[in-house]
């Protein structure tokens, strides 16, 4: 009975609140016009021999890792995609804005695993 009463109170309180998502000014719609080029399938990239290189030196290489900004969780780079200068620029910009760059084995996202060719 106490649980039911507490849940009813929460329901009433939630009905009276107005929730508005405030835009995060650190994140813009940069990814909407961003395109990447797949050089191989994710499966092929995951099973390829890899090496770790500096993110800044990875342009033109094929990624072995996902790199995404969370939130919203949209990948900037996916395994099997060719790493572009624009992707590196976006990642560096987001790091400067203190957004969570995730997916790389290097937690600081200074290095990235690439397919060794």
């Amino acid at each position: 009975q106490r649980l039911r009463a507490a849940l009813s109170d929460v329901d009433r309180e939630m009905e009276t609140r107005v929730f508005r998502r405030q835009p995060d000014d650190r994140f813009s719609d940069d990814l909407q016009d961003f395109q990447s080029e797949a050089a191989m399938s994710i499966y092929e990239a995951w099973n390829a021999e890899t090496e770790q290189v500096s993110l800044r030196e990875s342009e033109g290489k094929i990624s072995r890792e996902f790199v995404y900004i969370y939130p919203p969780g949209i990948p900037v780079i996916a395994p099997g995609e060719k790493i572009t200068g624009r992707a590196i620029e976006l990642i560096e910009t987001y790091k400067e804005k203190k957004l969570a760059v995730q997916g790389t084995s290097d937690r600081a996202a200074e290095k990235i695993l690439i397919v060794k060719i």
Side-chain angles (χ1 to χ4, degrees), residues 13-22:
E13 185 177 330
M14 297 298 278
E15 286 175 4
T16 62
R17 288 187 182 182
V18 176
F19 291 96
R20 293 188 182 141
R21 181 182 165 114
Q22 297 298 321

Side-chain angles (χ1 to χ4, degrees), residues 29-83:
D29 295 328
D30 293 333
L31 293 175
Q32 288 189 6
D33 64 350
F34 178 76
Q35 292 186 1
S36 59
E37 177 188 341
M40 63 177 56
S41 72
I42 292 175
Y43 177 81
E44 290 171 318
W46 273 92
N47 290 300
E49 189 176 345
T50 62
E51 64 180 309
Q52 192 175 51
V53 298
S54 163
L55 179 64
R56 290 185 183 95
E57 298 172 356
S58 66
E59 186 173 355
K61 311 281 190 214
I62 299 170
S63 178
R64 161 54 170 79
E65 300 184 286
F66 281 100
V67 182
Y68 57 92
I69 312 318
Y70 187 82
I74 300 168
V76 177
I77 301 171
E81 290 182 349
K82 194 173 277 191
I83 302 168

